[in-house]
Amino acid sequence: MAGSSYTDLREKLKSMMPYRDGYKGSSLRDPEEPPYGSTDRKRKYHEDSESEPSDYEERQREEEEAQKVKSGIRQLRLFSPEECAKIEARIDEVVSRAEKGLYKEHTVDRAPLRNKYFFGEGYTYGSQLQRRGPGQERLYPRGEVDTIPEWVHDLVIRKLVEHRVIPEGFVNSAVINDYQPGGCIVSHVDPIHIFERPIVSVSFFSDSALCFGCKFQFKPIRVSEPVFFLPVRRGSVTVLSGYAADEITHCIRPQDIKERRAVIILRKTRLDAPRLEMRTLMPGYASDRLSGSNRDPILKPKRSHRKADPDAAHRPRILEMDKEENRRSVLLPKHRRRSHFSSENYWRKSHGEDFEEEEEEEEEEEDGSPARKVKMRRH
């Protein structure tokens, strides 16, 4: 100690750890940087912490959104296994008649791992229109699809009316979606300018799930965590209205279709819903027609009799569904994509099996080119 030049232990410690002396003007500190103890540094740290929501805040937002979705869903278990079997036999008859070409051209719409059958009213959507995006969907001219089969009225609609799910005379559009294992419908909102609310669907053949607020990507296929995961049981009825129908997208994920599944979607078209003119369906009209902003969208050739290619659903392709400027609802913010709060396990635990059922609606399909990008759309 005699040889030491330090008379105060504090001075020796400062010489050994000069970075600790930054607040007193140490030469190691950047002169442009505020002192460590300054108010500016504290303010900057506070601002940075506010720019990125905490996990707790994200969970709170997810929970609020999920509650909004849940408030717009009603589910009932109305159809017994025996009633389901009877209806499923009728659905098989529809498939058989379609294979024999006994329906009108626009009644049947084929896609990989999913066929769609329009009755009462049919409409264009997805890749059928040259001008894409929400609000471009159009009803077909009257009479272009087959009428709703009597068995749908007798076995399905009548029971829904008896249980006051829908009023008498509400349904004028019935769509049957028939899925094979691995089939899916990408995130969408049923066209608000085409259909009244509520939207009613009844599920058959097997159990599945309806997911809200997902993002799809392909190459390979990927689906983000849902904001709300809704189990769908065979024979159950799902009624969508309010926030669940209008303000958030819903979808069917490939992993949720493990067996063949069919859903009958029952809706009412709006009186002011836009409708295609008959001349737009005439051969050669699309190629000869001049483009104009005040004209109807050009209808692409129908693919209703195209054979489904099971491998086509897994071709490399990319879907961009994050940009839907024309839709009045708000898509999910980026911070929701990382949250585990809305995982299906969480919702299964928190809501159990009492929230029974299921499914809704339609989709767009893209034809062709693996590299082509497709925006999400309502249908």
Side-chain angles (χ1 to χ4, degrees):
M1 291 292 295
S4 174
S5 59
Y6 296 103
T7 58
D8 190 324
L9 181 58
R10 290 172 294 182
E11 294 181 8
K12 183 175 182 179
L13 291 173
K14 290 175 184 177
S15 68
M16 295 173 65
M17 295 181 291
Y19 58 86
R20 296 289 303 274
D21 200 28
Y23 61 92
K24 290 189 176 180
S26 170
S27 59
L28 298 179
R29 181 174 58 82
D30 188 343
E32 298 297 325
E33 184 180 352
Y36 285 98
S38 73
T39 306
D40 290 342
R41 175 174 289 275
K42 290 180 180 178
R43 185 182 298 113
K44 185 177 187 301
Y45 175 81
H46 182 68
E47 291 172 354
D48 290 344
S49 65
E50 285 186 343
S51 62
E52 188 69 23
S54 67
D55 290 343
Y56 175 77
E57 290 172 330
E58 290 181 14
R59 287 195 297 270
Q60 286 293 103
R61 289 195 186 98
E62 292 286 356
E63 185 177 28
E64 290 172 3
E65 180 108 12
Q67 289 300 324
K68 290 179 182 178
V69 175
K70 186 177 177 181
S71 68
I73 299 173
R74 180 187 177 196
Q75 284 193 319
L76 308 95
R77 199 72 173 269
L78 289 186
F79 296 88
S80 67
E82 294 74 23
E83 291 173 315
C84 287
K86 188 180 295 186
I87 295 169
E88 288 160 2
R90 296 290 191 169
I91 293 174
D92 284 337
E93 290 178 11
V94 169
V95 174
S96 177
R97 288 178 59 84
E99 291 296 324
K100 295 174 182 176
L102 300 179
Y103 288 126
K104 296 179 180 180
E105 178 186 0
H106 297 293
T107 295
V108 183
D109 182 23
R110 303 186 191 279
L113 303 181
R114 186 236 65 203
N115 288 340
K116 190 186 299 289
Y117 306 94
F118 292 102
F119 296 103
E121 292 280 10
Y123 66 99
T124 62
Y125 67 95
S127 60
Q128 297 169 9
L129 290 176
Q130 205 122 12
R131 189 195 307 165
R132 304 186 180 219
Q136 300 303 321
E137 301 90 349
R138 297 290 185 269
L139 290 173
Y140 284 116
R142 298 186 189 280
E144 283 299 305
V145 302
D146 288 81
T147 58
I148 299 176
E150 280 303 314
W151 66 263
V152 175
H153 286 286
D154 296 339
L155 302 180
V156 184
I157 297 176
R158 182 176 298 170
K159 188 157 190 172
L160 297 177
V161 172
E162 289 173 355
H163 286 79
R164 299 185 178 181
V165 177
I166 52 176
E168 182 79 41
F170 178 80
V171 175
N172 68 347
S173 170
V175 178
I176 299 175
N177 281 342
D178 188 11
Y179 301 91
Q180 298 304 314
C184 67
I185 280 182
V186 299
S187 298
H188 66 278
V189 170
D190 289 31
I192 296 173
H193 66 292
I194 296 286
F195 296 110
E196 300 277 6
R197 269 46 176 166
I199 293 164
V200 181
S201 58
V202 191
S203 190
F204 297 101
F205 287 107
S206 66
D207 298 344
S208 183
L210 183 65
C211 292
F212 294 82
C214 291
K215 300 287 191 299
F216 271 66
Q217 272 192 311
F218 290 82
K219 194 182 174 180
I221 187 168
R222 300 182 300 281
V223 187
S224 68
E225 282 286 320
V227 168
F228 191 81
F229 176 89
L230 183 66
V232 174
R233 307 301 179 205
R234 179 189 181 214
S236 60
V237 179
T238 301
V239 184
L240 298 185
S241 59
Y243 194 93
D246 298 342
E247 302 299 332
I248 191 169
T249 60
H250 58 269
C251 68
I252 304 293
R253 303 182 301 176
Q255 60 263 45
D256 295 326
I257 305 291
K258 298 178 176 63
E259 305 174 54
R260 183 194 176 189
R261 174 179 179 269
V263 59
I264 301 178
I265 303 157
L266 304 168
R267 294 173 291 199
K268 179 181 181 179
T269 57
R270 295 173 57 94
L271 292 176
D272 59 352
R275 192 180 293 272
L276 288 173
E277 298 178 14
M278 183 63 72
R279 60 195 180 94
T280 63
L281 303 179
M282 295 178 181
Y285 176 78
S287 58
D288 297 339
R289 183 178 175 277
L290 297 175
S291 61
S293 59
N294 60 341
R295 308 281 185 89
D296 286 336
I298 299 176
L299 182 65
K300 280 190 172 182
K302 191 83 167 64
R303 54 166 188 258
S304 59
H305 298 293
R306 185 183 68 186
K307 290 186 178 180
D309 176 7
D311 298 327
H314 305 289
R315 289 187 193 131
R317 49 186 176 169
I318 299 173
L319 293 178
E320 290 184 335
M321 293 162 292
D322 300 348
K323 302 175 183 178
E324 196 176 4
E325 297 89 355
N326 296 330
R327 204 180 88 210
R328 62 185 180 183
S329 61
V330 180
L331 293 182
L332 299 178
K334 291 182 179 179
H335 70 268
R336 290 181 182 155
R337 301 176 190 173
R338 301 192 303 274
S339 174
H340 301 290
F341 185 82
S342 60
S343 69
E344 65 184 68
N345 289 335
Y346 172 84
W347 287 110
R348 279 175 171 161
K349 288 178 182 177
S350 60
H351 298 287
E353 302 300 329
D354 57 346
F355 223 71
E356 294 178 36
E357 219 274 302
E358 190 270 330
E359 201 280 313
E360 225 276 77
E361 226 307 323
E362 347 240 271
E363 150 212 24
E364 34 85 310
E365 267 299 309
E366 59 284 346
D367 59 47
S369 163
R372 187 167 60 80
K373 294 185 178 181
V374 183
K375 290 185 179 180
M376 179 188 67
R377 43 187 80 78
R378 300 182 188 136
H379 18 271

